[in-house]
Amino acid sequence: MSQFDVTVIGSGPGGYVAALRCAQLGFKTALIEKYSTLGGTCLNVGCIPSKALLDSSEHFENAKHNFANHGIIINEPQADLARMVARKNEVVDQTTKGINFLMDKNKVTVFEGLGSFESATQIKVTKTDGSSEILETKYAIVATGSKPSTLPFITIDKERIITSTEALNLKEIPKHLVVIGGGVIGLELGSVYLRLGSQVTVVEYMDKIIPTMDGALSKELTKVLKKQGMKFMLSTGVQSVERNGDSVKITAKDKKGEQVSVEGDYVLVSVGRKPFTEGLGLEKAGVELDERGRVKVNDHLQTNVANIYAIGDVVKGAMLAHKAEEEGVFVAETLAGQKPHINYNLIPGVVYTWPEVAGVGKTEEQLKEEGAAYKVGSFPMRALGRSRASGDIDGLIKILADEKTDEVLGVHMIGARAADLIAEAVTAMEFRASAEDISRMSHAHPTYAEAIKEAALDATGKRAIHM
Ligand code: FAD
Ligand code: NAD
């Protein structure tokens, strides 16, 4: 029987990062993954492939609509979806192979097969051919991630009624893609096909899209996506989804209680994801789940069984790759006797539409609910020289700061490269910067980041220079 100090189950960004950090810290480490490629949801059917298709479709959109304005005249561009998907697969292949390289380099032993607990210290690995072996381990880290959720009355047929996984591998550009759920997946993958020429209708239960982000972002994103041609049915609860040949009909109730329907050739169900623990044998180890099927953990990410930890999408908190990674490092360092720390308030959220959307810290809605005394500074992207040069004039940056102390409580942005710009806000907030601190830092000109400085100037005495 092979013996390990730490055995990690699941090789997504939580699991593979935990395994690498454990190995760096001198633990004899095993990583078990049921699929033949490492990297989990994020690298195989999530973050990376979706961004590859977003990038390709954005190039197409620019070629079609923006090049001429820049003085570049080309023949009418054609979208070759098969090539886009093939390129996306090449990107995934390179990225997942990179994880194999890192495992070898750090001497992590990788087992391909389903990992299941036989007891708190014994984990069985079952290969696809049915053969199995038992690993003896001092500590275990559960990092088995999540799977798409659906609604009770929807059958995902993976052909016309699909999840994000199938939407990343379509063989044709839908004529009319109906998206159920105006959250991150729906808007990102909806954007891909909108840019490639599909009609896209988003049916959202709440009265706004990206409902958990700051309201100003939701409002601006709705405006911009509408301008791009996306259609929205808000405050609309889906009641049935019926396929008839190549067509799918969605029936729903709108906010007046009236029945409405919409028909498309593909329906993307993107109403959230649920933790995945099937086949893991947690009951044999005595590990408890919470009321939402997540592995129950304490503040140290330790389960009710002392030597078993859990991280990433399978535990509470945001279902984000970088949150899973932080937790992987946290557990490895905890096992090594260190005192790591994660500031969950400063895990940024990003939506890779164009313009991009990003936020960190408290939203204005949260501050209102808490009854906090706060002030707001904001700055429109269109007032920046950089935005006018590139033509990316949509969006704004909003800074929320404590009314009395001026400490930055939240930063919310929609605009070109917001996904990268948000790192400045995270850094500032990690060091508990005040809005005045940000307003007095030199920001290179011309950059999109100047909008952060201007929003900070606006928050501190309405001193924005270019507004
Ligand atoms: P996962 O990545 O889900 O990995 C879990 C792994 O465990 C899987 O490989 C699974 O096969 C394996 N496994 C499960 N059970 C067993 C078992 N019993 N034995 C062996 N192996 C097992 N997040 C971002 O931060 N940024 C993004 O841009 C982003 N884009 C996304 C786009 C899409 C379309 C989707 C679906 C998700 C996206 N996410 C994004 C979310 C991100 O993918 C997840 O938050 C992240 O992958 C969670 O990491 P994890 O390690 O917890 O689990
Ligand atoms: P989500 O939680 O972001 O959005 C789901 C949306 O569906 C919500 O707006 C919700 O109100 C709506 N909804 C729920 N029930 C509905 C119903 N019956 N009818 C209509 N609408 C309904 O979930 P998602 O978009 O499926 O993404 C899943 C997870 O993956 C998210 O937690 C997200 O963090 C992660 N993810 C992240 C990124 C990124 O970081 N860029 C990208 C993709 C996915």
Side-chain angles (χ1 to χ4, degrees), residues 312-324:
D313 281 11
V314 81
V315 302
K316 65 187 175 193
M319 286 183 164
L320 294 173
H322 41 289
K323 178 259 194 185

Side-chain angles (χ1 to χ4, degrees), residues 10 14 33-35 40-41 47 51 115 144-145 313 319-322:
E33 171 54 55
K34 67 178 176 175
Y35 290 130
T41 304
C47 329
K51 267 81 251 179
T144 49
D313 281 11
M319 286 183 164
L320 294 173
H322 41 289

Side-chain angles (χ1 to χ4, degrees), residues 38 65 147 171 223 241 271 310 318 361 403:
L38 301 182
H65 298 294
K147 283 271 179 277
K171 300 255 180 313
K223 200 170 83 191
V241 175
V271 292
E403 176 67 50

